[in-house]
Amino acid sequence: MIAEYEQTGTFSVPELPGIKTANVWGTDPFIVEFCTGGFGLAPASVYRGFYYSQNGKPAAFQNGPQTLVPTEDGWEWSGPGDNGGTTRHLEGSWFLFEAHF
């Protein structure tokens, strides 16, 4: 799927157990984000999942412009109000994320 996106700019997601949504965010570099869960109603929502990073570097939620700050086990970011989240390296170009709004 990721190779398909790199070659054609499109991708298809097979039905995978536990995956609620899959999206590509950004262009250079892009991330492919897989949401595995979330709960709450705006303005108190939490999203969790994992993503592939084209350049192998961590990214904020949906490849946003927020600055990542190193933590003991990964990185965190913050946005306006109480928006924020964390990301942790799994292996290679794969990362976990949690975002809250």
Side-chain angles (χ1 to χ4, degrees), residues 28-67:
D28 190 22
F30 66 84
I31 67 167
V32 181
E33 176 189 272
F34 301 87
C35 283
T36 58
F39 60 91
L41 299 171
S45 300
V46 176
Y47 299 92
R48 291 186 179 97
F50 59 96
Y51 62 94
Y52 169 85
S53 171
Q54 180 187 26
N55 64 2
K57 295 181 181 178
F61 183 62
Q62 297 180 341
N63 210 11
Q66 296 82 7
T67 299

Side-chain angles (χ1 to χ4, degrees), residues 17-34:
I19 303 298
K20 306 238 185 260
T21 62
N23 292 292
V24 176
W25 300 100
T27 55
D28 190 22
F30 66 84
I31 67 167
V32 181
E33 176 189 272
F34 301 87

Side-chain angles (χ1 to χ4, degrees), residues 81-100:
D82 64 352
N83 297 343
T86 59
T87 188
R88 293 190 344 228
H89 185 244
L90 288 171
E91 69 174 43
S93 292
W94 293 92
F95 296 82
L96 291 173
F97 75 86
E98 180 175 303
H100 51 84

